[in-house]
Structure formats: structure tokens, C-alpha cells
Amino acid sequence: MCFSYSVNLSAQSLQSKLGINELPLPNPGFFFSGFDHPMLPVIAMMEQQIVPTVMQWGLIPSWTADAGKAQEMGNFGLNARAETVDEKPMFRGAWQHHPCIIPCSGFFEWKDVGGKKQPYYIHSAEADFLLFAGIWSSWIQPQTGAEIQTYSIITTDANDLMAEIHNVKKRMPVILAAESALNYLAESPENRLTFLQPCPNEKITAYRVSNLVSNSRANRNVSNVLQPFSEGYSQTLF
């Protein structure tokens, strides 16, 4: 599972590692919850071209009938399971035709400790960004005719590190190596399945962060959410 992440990125780093420029980056980009359906940067395959753009998080299938159903689909479409992404009707078409990569600086997960949730921030051990495997879809709003492009992050079984943190459901986003990420976009759907594996433990690292990241009523898109947890640290934003 992956329902919140950070996009505190360097455009120069993405350009140097991937050759991708003109990717619109949010400012600030410290915390985004999928349930807010934010517009965030993706690198998508569109008509055989690699296109840096922004899309709404929470995949809405193209065949969705109305706006009410679209809201429901968007909530269910935040993540797609690697094991069934090529089979489930909600994701099957996007998997066949619309792969994408979601760049981020790190993501958040919660560890269950005696029934209490402790938030952690997980990021790359080697670079200043991670690349999630994803899929995207285009939906036409029936009332207005507006085109809305949406995406979903693909998840897989947790590696050993993530199983210690996300210790109930034991899932994690599919994290692509920078050197092979663009190949994910270009491969056939059948070959793309081979990319949907847990990343090696040594590719990521994590630390516990303040409980303020768990406060959905607060503005969490502030730098404080990335500060390491301290027993003496204030658990409020102000």
C-alpha cells in the first residue's frame, strides 16, 4: 500500500539520471495524501512518446459512468496490486496501454506497535528520489466533457525492511531502478510484469517521523513532517 508520499525533488537530478526535463514539480512538496486526490507529476507513455506531465492521483477507468462513481473509483484506484493489475477490470486496460512512472522523494507508512500507529518516512539509500511503477487512465467527465487524467501506484509484497514497518498488511510500492525505469514504459505488458517485484532492502532506508504526519486535520505539506521523531519534540505544527 502507498497512500501518502513526498515530492520534494530536484529537477536537475531527475534530468541527469533520466534525461527528463520540464517535469512540473509541486512547491512545497513535503506531503500528499492520495485521499485528497492531488495533481502530481508523472512520467507517462502517451502515443509511443515519453511525456512528463501532472495527473490526479486515484485512477478512474475510462468507462466510469458518472461523477459520483468516479469519486468512488478514485479512492479505490490509489493503488493497484501487482498480482492482479493485468486481470482486474478496473486496471486491465490501463495496464495494457498506459504505463507511467511516479517520481517522489519518499513515502510514508505506519508501523503497528501494540495497537498504536508509528509513522515512518522511507526514502532512497542511494539518490534523492524514488520511482514508483504506475498506470494511468483518461476519463471524460460526462457533464462537462472535460478530460481528467488519473494514475495509480502499483504495489507488491513488502521486502524485509518494509515488512518490519508496514507490519500488518506487509505491502510496498513497486520501486523501479533509475537505470531501468524508462524500459518499464517501453516494454510490452507481458514483459512489464517482470518489473513488479519488491526492491532490494539496501535500495531504501527509513526513519520514524513525528506523529503530526498522522493528523489529517492539519496542513501536513510542511517541512516538519520530514523531521525525525524525538520524544521531546512538539507533536503539533505550530
Side-chain angles (χ1 to χ4, degrees):
M1 292 166 51
C2 180
F3 294 146
S4 55
Y5 65 91
S6 176
V7 194
N8 188 33
L9 290 172
S10 161
Q12 291 79 9
S13 181
L14 285 170
Q15 204 281 331
S16 65
K17 294 288 181 64
L18 299 178
I20 299 293
N21 53 24
E22 299 182 1
L23 182 66
L25 297 175
N27 184 25
F30 300 109
F31 181 94
F32 297 98
S33 169
F35 295 103
D36 295 329
H37 302 293
M39 297 289 292
L40 293 173
V42 302
I43 302 165
M45 180 65 81
M46 295 182 173
E47 298 180 351
Q48 306 304 311
Q49 298 291 322
I50 295 174
V51 178
T53 186
V54 293
M55 294 184 184
Q56 180 176 298
W57 188 6
L59 188 137
I60 302 171
S62 60
W63 43 258
T64 304
D66 56 60
K69 193 66 174 178
Q71 178 68 32
E72 179 184 346
M73 288 292 192
N75 287 333
F76 283 117
L78 297 174
N79 292 168
R81 292 176 66 93
E83 297 86 345
T84 56
V85 68
D86 62 335
E87 301 171 357
K88 290 238 175 152
M90 181 169 178
F91 302 118
R92 187 170 55 211
W95 172 256
Q96 287 290 323
H97 305 292
H98 296 151
C100 69
I101 299 167
I102 300 101
C104 75
S105 47
F107 62 102
F108 300 87
E109 273 301 353
W110 280 256
K111 182 176 184 177
D112 187 290
V113 180
K116 295 183 178 180
K117 299 292 187 180
Q118 295 179 350
Y120 281 76
Y121 182 63
I122 303 97
H123 60 100
S124 173
E126 302 174 333
D128 59 357
F129 62 86
L130 295 172
L131 300 169
F132 297 152
I135 50 176
W136 69 276
S137 183
S138 182
W139 177 67
I140 304 299
Q141 219 279 359
Q143 286 74 27
T144 66
E147 180 182 12
I148 301 173
Q149 293 176 335
T150 61
Y151 69 94
S152 182
I153 295 169
I154 301 175
T155 67
T156 186
D157 288 331
N159 63 18
D160 292 340
L161 173 63
M162 284 305 303
E164 287 290 321
I165 296 171
H166 198 221
N167 58 343
V168 176
K169 294 191 176 180
K170 298 188 177 182
R171 302 288 294 177
M172 68 178 296
V174 173
I175 297 171
L176 302 171
E179 58 270 19
S180 61
L182 296 183
N183 293 336
Y184 167 81
L185 296 178
E187 289 285 358
S188 68
E190 294 76 18
N191 290 342
R192 240 186 288 129
L193 287 171
T194 64
F195 288 79
L196 306 186
Q197 306 294 330
C199 74
N201 292 308
E202 64 270 16
K203 297 293 184 180
I204 55 175
T205 188
Y207 60 90
R208 186 178 170 188
V209 293
S210 167
N211 291 333
L212 66 85
V213 78
S214 303
N215 184 0
S216 61
R217 294 172 294 179
N219 173 21
R220 292 175 284 182
N221 193 9
V222 292
S223 61
N224 288 8
V225 299
L226 300 181
Q227 291 189 0
F229 176 83
S230 171
E231 293 289 351
Y233 181 71
S234 171
Q235 298 297 294
T236 65
L237 288 172
F238 307 102

